[in-house]
Amino acid sequence: NAGSAREWLLLKANEISGGTLNTYISTLAKSFDNCSKLGLNVSGKDITDMRKELKKKGMNLRKRHYNRAYEDPYKIISNMQLSSLYFISAKLQLEAGLRLDDAINSSKWEINDDDNSITILGSKNGLCYSTKKLSDKTIKQLKLAKESGYYAPKNAYVKDLKASGADKRGTHGLRYNFAQERYEELRKEGMSHIGALAQVSIDMGHSRVEITRHYLVGL
């Protein structure tokens, strides 16, 4: 129940960093929400409300964010294209900033011929959003993949990505590359910092710009 979960979190607050505690809070809240869907009278909000309580006590719940972008992501994509059936997923993560689950499942893609974007259906938290404009070549590859019912098993895709030059930054590193390249592209076009940040946030399917800031660390 919420009472025992809160007591456990308060106990852990004396042993772990604020960033790790924040992760624990998020994980427990998701567990509570899943239990609620099964009919139990619990809510994740009972847990997430603890953040305000802990902040009032002076605890910093922010994680330290590192730049996980790859130095040469296009080399990884090139290697994937030569050796893996799943290169289109890596390409989507780099060129459109897709989350892993969205990049491996073509049933989530709705291709928009009018502006060469794709709409992602049922992303994180059920969100639907559209990507930036993609190249004609990429759109053509996506159409072929979708027509064939493309789906990349997560473990197989990650394994192929690692064999192509990726490291512990994994698939998420490509998403960092997208965010940083897209931000710089928009700035060069004359967009303000706030405007570019907001557009990158939209492109990545983020609900808050604060999340996007993490991907721009170092810029």
Side-chain angles (χ1 to χ4, degrees):
N1 59 43
S4 59
R6 288 171 61 84
E7 289 298 320
W8 182 79
L9 286 167
L10 289 172
L11 178 66
K12 299 302 289 185
N14 297 317
E15 305 173 0
I16 59 179
S17 70
T20 301
L21 184 63
N22 193 36
T23 300
Y24 283 16
I25 290 172
S26 296
T27 304
L28 266 174
K30 288 178 182 177
S31 298
F32 270 51
D33 284 338
N34 286 333
C35 288
S36 177
K37 292 176 183 178
L38 295 174
L40 300 181
N41 187 26
V42 293
S43 170
K45 190 175 184 301
D46 295 334
I47 304 301
T48 55
D49 281 348
M50 281 196 68
R51 289 193 175 102
K52 296 178 182 178
E53 179 182 336
L54 292 167
K55 286 178 180 178
K56 285 181 179 179
K57 293 181 178 181
M59 177 165 281
N60 183 356
L61 296 176
R62 292 188 175 184
K63 297 180 181 179
R64 184 178 179 184
H65 289 275
Y66 300 91
N67 185 2
R68 293 168 62 180
Y70 287 102
E71 288 75 22
D72 190 357
Y74 293 96
K75 183 177 180 180
I76 296 174
I77 302 300
S78 179
N79 291 339
M80 281 282 287
Q81 193 156 357
L82 291 172
S83 62
S84 174
L85 296 172
Y86 311 126
F87 81 91
I88 194 65
S89 293
K91 193 171 186 182
L92 273 175
Q93 290 203 278
L94 177 60
E95 293 186 13
L98 296 196
R99 295 181 175 89
L100 171 59
D101 288 341
D102 298 337
I104 63 176
N105 188 354
S106 66
S107 68
K108 289 188 172 188
W109 311 341
E110 187 175 274
I111 300 172
N112 306 312
D113 290 320
D114 55 336
D115 64 357
N116 268 26
S117 71
I118 59 172
T119 298
I120 304 303
L121 307 174
S123 188
K124 188 175 181 179
N125 298 322
L127 178 72
C128 297
Y129 69 98
S130 295
T131 67
K132 60 166 283 189
K133 180 180 179 179
L134 303 174
S135 69
D136 290 340
K137 181 179 179 180
T138 299
I139 290 294
K140 184 177 180 180
Q141 290 172 330
L142 290 174
K143 285 182 176 180
L144 290 173
K146 189 168 178 61
E147 286 171 6
S148 66
Y150 175 83
Y151 178 82
K154 190 178 296 185
N155 290 340
Y157 166 51
V158 172
K159 181 180 178 181
D160 282 5
L161 192 70
K162 186 175 181 181
S164 298
D167 53 29
K168 63 182 180 181
R169 287 171 280 192
T171 68
H172 217 60
L174 297 175
R175 205 158 134 84
Y176 270 73
N177 282 107
F178 167 81
Q180 294 174 21
E181 290 182 12
R182 179 64 167 151
Y183 173 83
E184 291 181 339
E185 173 190 351
L186 292 168
R187 291 287 280 151
K188 287 178 181 177
E189 292 176 359
M191 194 173 285
S192 68
H193 164 68
I194 296 299
L197 178 63
Q199 185 58 55
V200 174
S201 185
I202 291 170
D203 290 340
M204 298 182 74
H206 284 157
S207 57
R208 294 178 291 117
V209 294
E210 287 78 9
I211 301 172
T212 309
R213 283 195 177 97
H214 299 157
Y215 289 80
L216 303 179
V217 60
L219 293 184

